[in-house]
Amino acid sequence: SIGIAGIAYDSSIAGIRLISETCVYTWEDETYTLNDLAISEALVHQLDNIDIYTNSWGPKDDGDILGYMGPLTISALEKGTKDG
């Protein structure tokens, strides 16, 4: 009979189109469908208004070695953790 508010109480959704045919980059002779600038902008999109980010995409990895992340993406993750 007792209810509580969850982590996303009274939340709303912001969608960002991140993957498209125009977002292509190559690193170490492999082609990826995202680019460092697009990823970094998505990770800090409306940082002052959005409390929780969830992302179900990312570089290829094998469970032991994480795939490539560019310098802008790394900076965006650091900014989000520090200022978000």
Side-chain angles (χ1 to χ4, degrees):
S1 65
I2 298 174
I4 61 170
I7 191 167
Y9 174 77
D10 200 26
S11 66
S12 47
I13 296 174
I16 300 169
R17 181 178 177 184
L18 184 58
I19 302 171
S20 74
E21 292 178 13
T22 59
C23 293
V24 175
Y25 71 90
T26 303
W27 185 73
E28 292 188 354
D29 298 323
E30 290 194 45
T31 300
Y32 298 88
T33 57
L34 302 172
N35 68 47
D36 195 27
L37 178 61
I39 294 169
S40 64
E41 288 177 345
L43 290 170
V44 293
H45 177 75
Q46 293 193 12
L47 188 60
D48 54 338
N49 294 320
I50 298 175
D51 296 316
I52 301 169
Y53 289 78
T54 181
N55 303 289
S56 58
W57 51 266
K60 293 192 304 185
D61 68 70
D62 63 7
D64 291 324
I65 300 171
L66 181 64
Y68 172 75
M69 280 196 303
L72 295 175
T73 299
I74 293 169
S75 291
L77 288 169
E78 290 171 350
K79 180 174 180 60
T81 321
K82 179 183 170 209
D83 301 330

